[in-house]
Amino acid sequence: MKARTSGQFSIRTILISSFLLLMIFPIIVITLVTYHKENAIFQDQVSRFLLQTVQQTNRSLDANLSEMDRLTWPILYREPLDFLVKPGDSSYEIVKAAAQFKQEMFHQYFRGRINEVSSVYFVTPERILLSTENAFQTFDQVIPANYRYITDHLEQDPLSIHWFSETYAILPHREAYTTGIHPSVLAARKIVDSSRVELQGYLIIQLNNLFLEDVLQNVQIGKTGSLLLLDQEHELLFGQQSPYLSNERIRQALGRLSASGAGTEVIDGKWIVAHVASPKSGWIMAAVVPLQELLEPNRLLLRNLLLIAGLGAAVSIFVSLSLATNISRPVVHLSQLMLKASYGNLDVRHTNESYREISILQRNFNNMMERIQELLAEVEKEQREKQQASMRALQMQIHPHFLYNILDTIYWMSKKYKAEQISKLVTSLGKFFRLSLHAGKERIPLEQEFEHVQSYLELQSVRYRDKATYRVVLDERARRTPMVPLLLQPLVENAFEHGITQSPPADKLGEISIAAVRLGHKVSIEVRDNGKGMSGQALRELLHSLRDTEKVEHIGLRNVQQRLLLAFGAMSALRIESKEGAGTTVAFDIPAGGEEA
Amino acid sequence: MPKIRWSSYSAVALLLVWGIGCIYILGFSAGDKPTSAQAESPKTIKLLIRTGYESEAMRQAIPPFEQETGIRVEMIELGRDEYFTTVATQLFAGSDDFDLVFVPSTYVAQFGLGKVLLPLDPFMRDPQYTDEKIFDQADFAATYSYNRNVYALPTDISTHFLYYRSDLIPVPPQTWDEVKQLAERFTKAHRADSPTKWGLGFTGLAPEELPKIFDTLLWSFGGDLLNGDNEVFLDSSRSLDAGRYLEGLVRDKVVPPDVLSWGFSDVRDALMNGDIAMAAPNWNAAYDSIRNSDSRYKDVIKVAMIPGVRGPDGTIRRASFQHGWALSINAKSPHPKEAWRFISYITGKRGGFIYARAGGTPARKSILSDPLLQNIRPEFALTLESMKIARNEPAVPFYPLMIDIQNDALTQILTLHTPPDLALREAGKQLRGAAIHYTATRQPER
């Protein structure tokens, strides 16, 4: 018994869609926005931190170079140099000079940094080599090209210490053992006698790998990043082990790095290089880190956000289904009940408890169904009574032409035989029937109803000539007031039947008065007799019988009551007052108004 | 009130679980937070060591210790040229940059006097640190003490052998005179058809090698440096004989003229290259290196007991130098207990076995005499034999000065600058002055 209209969605579908939209959309949007924003911020910050790390490390290295430079300054001020030898000195004197040179270099000048110094060489203008190495060495063992390269640089800038890569070592190195210590960069300085401005010689300090490693080895560049040190010709002086160094693109990029200043650049969108050039040595320090690694925390964040979003979506779907089902169930149930009611099943009732608003709907639905059932019962009853009234009216109908012709014959015979009383009686009877026959109208003017009653009274007055009189008073303002026809006649008839005829007072004349008075928006109508009246008990029973439709007594009065209520509502309910021995008054009100009748 | 369905409860529970899950998952997004395990880095001890075959062997023996104890050992290697200067400087400067230091036994007295090393006796005697039965101190070929305190335990024992080309010299010479005769025969300057350029080679490096080479000659010839009472014998007649013999090797050109620049590896390489027919006195450590090399002569290079001097009764007086390289604990070590654990491991039988397999020569008699090891290291038997006639240098606090005096005299002799008698007499004079000076302040322990 489903009623689905194409193109319309169920409340459950709409609720689920809404909930899902409200829950999942923000999750997705927040996830994506957070990721992209975080990505940008992260990359920027990481680049800056990377550059700061490189700059800081470079400052440390420069401080190291400066310290090494300062260690050579006392040699410049020392005059004369005790270890100098003269050409022609014997081997022993040269060995002694070398021993003294070593003693001074290692114990005096470089003692604090001795673990980073492989050897110190001093080459005199006469090309006598003094070395700190245990092995006795002579200038013949020097590599001429490297020596020339170094001295050329020193001559170009004689006041500064110069730094060179191990490629320019002046003596060949042979690895006698497997060791982690090996020659690294060189520092060279021209030593001039300041008082005579004469060349004393060239001081060349061969440093080992610890010199750079002490500063650079423990610098952590991410997880797999590398810290590199390049010389002036972009050749590698120091490089933390990294697979990225074998990458040709990175090597090319490193070869293009500026020999001054600092900066960062991204290679092929895969690697980021932060670099800074040292003004002291001309070396370039660079840190190479794969972007993927730098953004790894962000990727992890994205993964987790996606995981959260996925779980959130699953939870949202479940929650949406649950909420939508819970919210829509009473509404759906109510709609199904309504559907049943629309098919005529008015006994359905909503019994489940639900949310407050839905409960109100449910209660109102139940009330409405009960009210509809009551109304239907009332309508049914009214129809039944209407049919009964119609039947009674039909039973009372007499063929008008036959009746009028007979009355007309009686009238003319009474005239012929001078029976005025009869002719008057026949005239009233005729009027009475005529009005009765017009009683099929729903409304008639009050004056017509009064005319009908007056005809009745005239007929009855003939009958009760010596027992009763009557008085009819109709307010001029109430003449046109619409009135249900044939209402007053049963009341007047009751007044005769129960007030006058059944127990006529012995000492007084029965009197019946009918009055209609307009009082504002209503017309008050009253039928009064001065008959025997009713006891209080009888009056209560009468009033009760008017409300009880099953009783067979007082059908006429109840009929009047019901017709009044149907026509004019509760305002027209009959008011009955009676006092035993003093008579009975039956009154009611109807709405004033004369145009509609 | 409407009845709340289980699905509503489930929904609320799911939302709660989801919320808590979000917090938990996002907790991991911070990425590189160290876990508690990571935060607690293992304790690291640092070992200052000289570059050489000892450091090569040590490097291989460290990993088992690290795995067993969880203590990380970081080696700080220094070149041979600046090693002694650096060690002395750092120890006397109170540096705590290292926990363990690799010292030659001859420096123990100087460092002990300066209190720059921790005495090892408290660790050896404390059962909390040492199980004496396992440790077995009596098994050591030598321990190095000063003032009755042990300051160093040897990881390596070194002594001098005669190395010779068995394809050229089937029977090794027994005396130094025979050595010189054979050297002339296998020197091209004397015999143009000599298959080798030089008959003999040895290391003449200052400051450590040359005096030790000479000590073997000195003791073989019956000379000496100092006795236990710091009496000087460097200028004795037998010492002068040794000096003359040394000068004769240079003067007669049976050794390379630049012998002063020949180090341990130069002599070894000259043997392997076929440049020299003999090397003596030469360190025992070279043999394993030669055997494991790809030299074409590695199988014909043999070792023999150091030659001596034949006496009037025909007996040969031999004497070989021996010293040990030992491990000591820096007095300023931040981790002395962990440092001792490493010493007890590496000088112990198990560590020593690993060390021996890696090329070292442990100073434990039980290891040197182990048949399994002797199969791998055949020179161990000769080492044990040599140790019977081997002598230490005098453990004097003025050891560096003594070495300098010796070096100066020996350099004069080897450069033919000064006759050996004059050079050694002057050296004896200087050494006597040094001994008198230091004897006046403190009596060293031999």
Side-chain angles (χ1 to χ4, degrees), chain A residues 92 111 174 326 329 353, chain B residues 1 5 89 266 269 408:
Chain A
Y92 168 69
R111 186 165 189 133
R174 187 170 56 86
N326 282 345
R329 182 184 288 110
E353 290 187 337
Chain B
M1 277 295 290
R5 291 170 169 273
T89 303
D266 297 299
D269 294 350
D408 186 49

Side-chain angles (χ1 to χ4, degrees), chain B residues 4-295:
Chain B
I4 299 175
R5 291 170 169 273
W6 70 269
S7 57
S8 303
Y9 288 118
S10 305
V12 172
L14 264 177
L15 282 171
L16 277 173
V17 169
W18 180 67
I20 294 167
C22 289
I23 295 167
Y24 183 74
I25 290 168
L26 285 176
F28 284 106
S29 302
D32 296 334
K33 284 182 185 172
T35 63
S36 57
Q38 287 172 325
E40 287 179 18
S41 57
K43 200 162 273 186
T44 300
I45 53 174
K46 295 179 180 176
L47 164 63
L48 189 65
I49 192 168
R50 182 182 76 155
T51 291
Y53 67 87
E54 303 97 340
S55 60
E56 284 183 49
M58 191 73 76
R59 196 176 292 111
Q60 295 177 52
I62 283 173
F65 172 77
E66 291 180 326
Q67 285 172 6
E68 274 180 24
T69 62
I71 299 169
R72 197 169 158 263
V73 182
E74 184 182 318
M75 284 172 58
I76 305 171
E77 275 187 82
L78 291 175
R80 298 167 80 94
D81 291 348
E82 71 274 16
Y83 186 72
F84 294 105
T85 308
T86 305
V87 167
T89 303
Q90 299 228 21
L91 284 174
F92 281 98
S95 168
D96 61 355
D97 288 346
F98 55 91
D99 302 277
L100 290 161
V101 58
F102 197 58
V103 290
S105 55
T106 43
Y107 277 74
V108 169
Q110 182 196 358
F111 293 158
L113 177 65
K115 297 186 187 307
V116 297
L117 300 177
L118 283 185
L120 302 180
D121 308 81
F123 295 106
M124 288 193 286
R125 286 197 296 269
D126 191 337
Q128 186 185 343
Y129 302 118
T130 309
D131 183 333
E132 282 190 29
K133 286 181 183 172
I134 297 174
F135 187 65
D136 191 9
Q137 192 179 344
D139 188 40
F140 279 101
T143 57
Y144 303 109
S145 306
Y146 177 74
N147 265 355
R148 290 180 294 282
N149 286 319
V150 176
Y151 284 97
L153 287 175
T155 56
D156 261 277
I157 200 84
S158 294
T159 189
H160 282 157
F161 289 163
L162 166 72
Y163 286 72
Y164 66 100
R165 283 273 299 276
S166 61
D167 56 330
L168 305 177
I169 307 165
V171 179
Q174 298 300 308
T175 65
W176 290 113
D177 287 338
E178 290 172 16
V179 168
K180 192 179 175 195
Q181 287 168 13
L182 283 169
E184 285 174 357
R185 188 172 149 195
F186 291 104
T187 298
K188 276 197 185 297
H190 290 270
R191 295 275 294 268
D193 60 344
S194 169
T196 55
K197 192 173 180 184
W198 307 103
L200 182 67
F202 57 82
T203 169
L205 285 189
E208 292 293 325
E209 304 282 11
L210 186 55
K212 291 174 174 57
I213 295 299
F214 183 66
D215 285 348
T216 290
L217 283 174
L218 188 68
W219 293 328
S220 301
F221 278 87
D224 203 350
L225 289 164
L226 294 158
N227 66 8
D229 298 325
N230 281 347
E231 285 181 90
V232 175
F233 296 96
L234 189 57
D235 48 3
S236 68
S237 60
R238 289 180 175 176
S239 298
L240 297 182
D241 287 343
R244 284 182 212 115
Y245 179 81
L246 185 67
E247 187 205 33
L249 295 176
V250 179
R251 188 178 297 283
D252 296 338
K253 297 178 182 173
V254 295
V255 293
D258 57 347
V259 72
L260 283 173
S261 64
W262 279 45
F264 171 85
S265 56
D266 297 299
V267 178
R268 180 195 63 191
D269 294 350
L271 274 169
M272 293 194 298
N273 295 337
D275 289 341
I276 56 176
M278 291 178 291
N282 196 34
W283 296 110
N284 58 314
Y287 189 65
D288 188 60
S289 181
I290 291 169
R291 283 187 74 238
N292 291 314
S293 72
D294 53 1
S295 164

